[in-house]
Amino acid sequence: MKRLLPLLFLTACTAVHKGPRFDARSDSPAAVATPEFESATPKEAINPQWLQKPAKAYTLGPGDKLELEIMGEAGSRTDTFVTPDSKVYFDLLPGIDVAGKTTQQLQTELEAGLTKYYKQPQVAVTLREAVSQRVWVLGRLNAPGIYPIKQPMRVLDAVSQAGGLFTSRFTGTTEELADLKHSFMIRGGRTLPVNFEKLIREGDMTQNIYLEPNDYLYLPSSLTNEVYLLGAVTEPRPVGFMSDMNLIGALGRGLGLTPGADLTRVSIIRGSLTDPKIATVNALEIMNGKATNVRLEPGDIVYVPGPGSISPGGLAREAVNTFTRLVAANEGSNAGAPGAAGVGVNINIGGSNQ
């Protein structure tokens, strides 16, 4: 079977057969409304708690710069950093572990420890530079990068801090440069249902949630023409879009399938990540000449599921999650900053029954 697959791919790529099944080549509403192309909007919605300003004070971590001083003791003022192992060293005290502690808690511990050497010491603790709590803001922005959370920050605050959406020098607009439909946010390895189109284009502030350390925001360029081949394939990756690209052609440009790949339920996910449409196609029937081939569009996600039963909605969610993790891993690596693993992304190449 493995030896026959390349021949099947080649044969299917050169012939498009007529059939009554799903045809994604049409942009008409009728094609979108067919049973094979249905809405797969994720069930998860914005959690109202995400819109509430965090009550928790800033907690210290490696790299934070502090100014410490024993009040009334000349020459005691010093600038120091939280060490990589989350410790602070001051005066005659051994290292104090400050991981997850506030400046007020550090002050209390310093004063308690210094009672061995001073009478009723009062310590002033000032946070001079906060770098340990960061968010990733990458993509088609004027200043993409990794930014510290020095105070409560929301999605639009992060986009603004990154210089805003990249503006065309020729038109002065961002309309054609930022692909808001495929923009996404990841928290703890999970894609959050933030709709960037509604937030940035329509001003829907119900999408403007507060950020947490290591949140990852990515706003891709709309000028990138790629199809994403994901799921039970040897190497999940983007494939450069070509004119009149079709499903079998995209599969043929892949690097092979993993054991258990189910070609009878290949999914095409199209449209916004927060409101995707899905078509489930039997690629084996297309290869065998029993069904028509399917034309793809730039930005389509082609997802080959692994073994096991999973609903179309489940396939769409798995495909979108795999897409965001793949892009986040690639872009996070390209950002070239220490601690890239903190994004918390991993790639599931075999499909899931979740």
Side-chain angles (χ1 to χ4, degrees):
M1 180 62 182
K2 291 183 178 179
R3 294 182 178 179
L4 290 176
L5 277 177
L7 180 60
L8 291 174
F9 278 133
L10 180 61
T11 303
C13 287
T14 57
V16 177
H17 300 273
K18 296 181 179 180
R21 303 295 289 173
F22 163 70
D23 184 0
R25 294 174 295 179
S26 172
D27 292 327
S28 66
V32 176
T34 58
E36 288 81 6
F37 208 154
E38 57 185 291
S39 176
T41 303
K43 296 180 180 179
E44 186 179 19
I46 295 292
N47 187 330
Q49 293 184 350
W50 299 342
L51 295 166
Q52 301 299 316
K53 186 176 181 179
K56 186 179 180 181
Y58 184 91
T59 56
L60 299 170
D64 287 342
K65 183 178 181 180
L66 298 167
E67 180 186 283
L68 306 177
E69 180 182 9
I70 304 174
M71 305 302 293
E73 292 292 332
S76 65
R77 180 184 299 178
T78 184
D79 290 331
T80 188
F81 290 88
V82 179
T83 62
D85 59 349
S86 299
K87 293 186 182 299
V88 166
Y89 294 87
F90 179 61
D91 203 74
L92 299 173
L93 297 177
I96 296 177
D97 188 355
V98 298
K101 296 176 182 177
T102 66
T103 55
Q104 180 62 49
Q105 289 172 320
L106 173 59
Q107 176 186 342
T108 301
E109 289 197 33
L110 287 172
E111 289 176 347
L114 289 171
T115 55
K116 298 178 182 179
Y117 312 104
Y118 301 90
K119 183 178 181 180
Q120 296 181 336
Q122 293 183 322
V123 180
V125 178
T126 305
L127 179 63
R128 289 302 183 193
E129 187 175 350
V131 299
S132 63
Q133 296 189 16
R134 308 174 299 171
V135 292
W136 302 63
V137 194
L138 303 179
R140 200 64 165 163
L141 300 155
N142 283 297
I146 304 170
Y147 291 91
I149 303 179
K150 299 180 180 180
Q151 57 188 5
M153 178 187 294
R154 293 187 288 183
V155 174
L156 286 182
D157 297 326
V159 172
S160 177
Q161 190 165 352
L165 300 182
F166 189 86
T167 304
S168 170
R169 295 181 180 178
F170 302 102
T171 66
T173 69
T174 62
E175 189 71 25
E176 75 280 20
L177 299 180
D179 183 1
L180 299 180
K181 287 186 177 181
H182 290 88
S183 298
F184 60 85
M185 175 178 173
I186 292 179
R187 174 175 294 169
R190 182 167 64 102
T191 306
L192 298 190
V194 175
N195 189 320
F196 283 82
E197 275 194 300
K198 288 185 177 181
L199 174 60
I200 296 177
R201 190 163 293 159
E202 301 176 18
D204 183 355
M205 301 308 289
T206 64
Q207 307 296 315
N208 195 25
I209 67 175
Y210 280 94
L211 303 182
E212 296 182 0
N214 288 322
D215 278 352
Y216 183 105
L217 282 68
Y218 182 66
L219 292 82
S221 169
S222 62
L223 304 180
T224 301
N225 286 338
E226 294 177 321
V227 169
Y228 295 85
L229 185 59
L230 307 175
V233 294
T234 303
E235 184 180 336
R237 66 192 183 103
V239 175
F241 183 83
M242 300 185 301
S243 179
D244 296 325
M245 192 172 193
N246 57 50
L247 173 62
I248 304 304
L251 292 174
R253 294 181 65 191
L255 300 179
L257 304 172
T258 62
D262 187 356
L263 289 176
T264 66
R265 297 184 302 121
V266 176
S267 295
I268 302 170
I269 291 84
R270 179 173 297 170
S272 170
L273 296 182
T274 54
D275 186 21
K277 303 296 186 295
I278 183 171
T280 303
V281 180
N282 190 326
L284 280 180
E285 286 191 352
I286 298 176
M287 294 175 188
N288 293 327
K290 297 180 180 180
T292 185
N293 207 339
V294 174
R295 179 173 294 175
L296 301 178
E297 294 183 1
D300 281 351
I301 300 173
V302 176
Y303 188 81
V304 181
S309 176
I310 186 171
S311 67
L315 283 171
R317 287 190 296 274
E318 187 66 28
V320 168
N321 286 335
T322 305
F323 166 80
T324 57
R325 292 167 187 164
L326 173 67
V327 174
N330 289 340
E331 295 298 326
S333 176
N334 292 337
V343 179
V345 295
N346 60 344
I347 308 301
N348 175 14
I349 64 173
S352 170
N353 294 336
Q354 296 180 352

